[in-house]
Amino acid sequence: MKVAVICSNGKVGKLVVKEALAAGFDVTGFARKENKSEAKNFVQKDIFSITKEDLADFDAVVDAFGAWTEPELPNHGKSLSHLCDLLAGTKTRLLVVGGAGSLYVNKEHTATVSDGPDFPGIFKPLANAMAAALKDLRTRNDVQWTYISPAGDFQADAPKTGKWIWGGEELTLNANGESIISYADYAAAMVEEIKNGKNIQKRISLVRE
């Protein structure tokens, strides 16, 4: 299986590359600066410079784009829309590294994690930008997309356990009442979804077991 990892130099992107290589995939990294991942195949390009031809031969494309400063937050939606336009009408799957703020906390799906009183205000703009990108993604019936939200506590440096629980649109807690996942486990789960998943045009989520 041929897999492209967009923004492969980021923390999640590098781990997805590592896990995809371990799974035996043919992996190509894309990033705007020199390669910092384990990808042997690499294309140095900004995400907005990637073309339809660049992605033509891949079975799956992983969008690991991340922006953190407020002026750049709209690029979550713009970059995702760009990738959707490139993959529209093809069989290539698009798997998106999503956010937890848009997960629902009630069965009616009227309240989200980011609506809660304990949600840190500093992360509100990021959560709103990612939620807006997801809302637009849901309209793309011409793309084979899957949006994967991490648990609420998304830990960059926590170890890989190899154990996680898949969820859907609602925030899922483990047996200890926690919503927690490491970047390493998230990357491994992403690769599992690439290999086995059939969650086309769905948002799914995961939490450490």
Side-chain angles (χ1 to χ4, degrees):
M1 182 176 287
K2 295 189 68 175
V3 177
V5 179
I6 311 298
C7 301
S8 58
N9 282 345
K11 286 187 176 181
V12 174
K14 284 191 287 188
L15 289 168
V16 172
V17 168
K18 180 179 179 179
E19 291 290 340
L21 288 170
F25 295 166
D26 180 354
V27 183
T28 299
F30 286 77
R32 61 181 176 179
K33 295 184 179 180
E34 63 184 31
N35 188 17
K36 297 178 182 178
S37 74
E38 296 180 17
K40 302 298 187 291
N41 304 315
F42 180 72
V43 178
Q44 187 170 353
K45 274 191 175 184
D46 181 87
I47 191 170
F48 292 105
S49 298
I50 295 173
T51 66
K52 189 178 183 72
E53 290 70 29
D54 288 329
L55 303 181
D57 295 329
F58 292 101
D59 299 297
V61 174
V62 175
D63 175 15
F65 175 84
W68 312 106
T69 63
E70 197 147 357
E72 295 179 322
L73 292 181
N75 286 334
H76 280 280
K78 291 177 182 177
S79 63
L80 185 51
S81 177
H82 173 64
L83 292 179
C84 284
D85 289 343
L86 300 183
L87 298 177
T90 73
K91 294 182 179 180
T92 303
R93 294 184 63 200
L94 173 62
L95 296 102
V96 183
V97 177
S102 58
L103 287 168
Y104 296 108
V105 293
N106 63 351
K107 292 183 179 180
E108 296 77 20
H109 290 185
T110 57
T112 65
V113 170
S114 64
D115 294 329
D118 297 327
F119 191 81
I122 192 173
F123 294 129
K124 278 270 190 180
L126 174 61
N128 290 340
M130 297 187 79
L134 173 58
K135 182 179 180 181
D136 289 343
L137 182 64
R138 292 185 193 276
T139 69
R140 298 300 300 248
N141 296 322
D142 56 346
V143 179
Q144 305 298 300
W145 60 265
T146 303
Y147 188 98
I148 305 180
S149 287
D153 188 1
F154 198 17
Q155 298 187 338
D157 300 317
K160 177 183 174 182
T161 69
K163 298 179 180 180
W164 52 80
I165 301 165
W166 286 105
E169 290 277 2
E170 296 172 18
L171 182 71
T172 302
L173 304 180
N174 62 20
N176 296 321
E178 300 169 324
S179 175
I180 186 171
I181 194 80
S182 67
Y183 280 29
D185 277 333
Y186 180 94
M190 170 74 77
V191 170
E192 179 184 276
E193 176 61 24
I194 294 171
K195 187 188 301 183
N196 302 322
K198 298 180 181 179
N199 293 292
I200 304 302
Q201 296 179 355
K202 293 181 181 179
R203 189 262 288 275
I204 54 178
S205 56
L206 69 159
V207 62
R208 187 179 71 192
E209 189 174 298

